[in-house]
Amino acid sequence: MIRAQTAEPPAIGSETRRGRRPLWGKVWRFRALYLMLLPGFVYYAVYQYGPMYGVVIAFKDYNVLEGIMASPWADPWYKHWKAFYDSPYFGQILANTFLISVYKLVWGMPPGIVLALMLNEVRHRLFKRFVQTVSYLPHFLSMVIIYGLMIALLSQTDGLVNQWLEERTGRTIPFLTSTDWFRTLLVASGIWQHVGWSAIIYLAAIAGIDPTLYEAARCDGAGRLRMMWHITLPGIRNVILLLLVLRLGHILDAGFEQIYIMYNVHVYPVADIIDTWVFRTGLEQMDFSMATAVGLFKSLIGLVLIVASNRLAKRWGGAIW
């Protein structure tokens, strides 16, 4: 008769040292990685999370001389939000902020993807590097320089484009002071400045695609467009979703620097956004409580949009976290 052999239960305290390794032991084991992480952690702790203490200003009638803690609490606590909501410009600046951000999102993402796909198909290395260099150089230019170029080209008095139009048609177009042209120029200049930098990110994602997929597709008779549609684009889908989620989180950041440099009194109806309004009414008039309240309002909307966009990404099968 064959007896079944049963394994004896392990004695108490016989676990391997690896399974019982204390937390600090694991930290010490990977100390080199944690040391590399430390500068980034200190940066975010000091410059990102530390200043969040100042959010309390949004609930107070802040006085610079009295300081944050000594300043009286606002009565009611939502006083500054109500003042922002009751402003006659609330609807206009909120609509301008959303419209400009959506325009930049819708028209700004595809050019980077298209440029990356086109560069990926270029086989001449020197030409490819030349196009990459020329396309991403504007990313390092100041918006002041870019606006200077726009003035040289589009100024109604002595801009090159208007001089050419005047010679051909006898009239000029006020590109920089027209409400019909401002958003177009704003989005177009942003695309020109950042398309090359965006393409670098997508090219890095394309480089991580398994090359055997392309070889199998060629064996099946697929052309470049087929491989681009069925292999390259699905291969960078998660990167596209990640950048989309990050952009949605900053949907209310329509680009303060760019708009502040480009706008003027003639285009306020289509150019004034939350940040520029806060700069004029909150900071120039020393109303720091109002500026902080509106900033907190933007942050909460950004948080909601990030969570919502990530849920949408999960539904598409590309969850970010």
Side-chain angles (χ1 to χ4, degrees), residues 1-9:
M1 184 175 180
I2 301 175
R3 293 184 178 180
Q5 294 181 355
T6 58
E8 296 182 359

Side-chain angles (χ1 to χ4, degrees), residues 9-75:
I12 299 177
S14 63
E15 298 90 339
T16 60
R17 293 185 61 188
R18 181 176 296 181
R20 298 184 59 188
R21 183 183 295 273
L23 176 62
W24 287 111
K26 294 180 179 179
V27 172
W28 179 253
R29 180 185 176 189
F30 300 105
R31 57 188 180 277
L33 298 178
Y34 283 106
L35 284 175
M36 294 173 62
L37 178 66
L38 186 61
F41 175 79
V42 171
Y43 169 80
Y44 279 98
V46 173
Y47 294 103
Q48 301 293 332
Y49 290 97
M52 289 179 67
Y53 162 74
V55 169
V56 71
I57 295 177
F59 303 94
K60 290 195 168 191
D61 291 325
Y62 177 67
N63 189 308
V64 178
L65 299 178
E66 295 180 357
I68 296 178
M69 299 306 298
S71 297
W73 292 96
D75 185 24

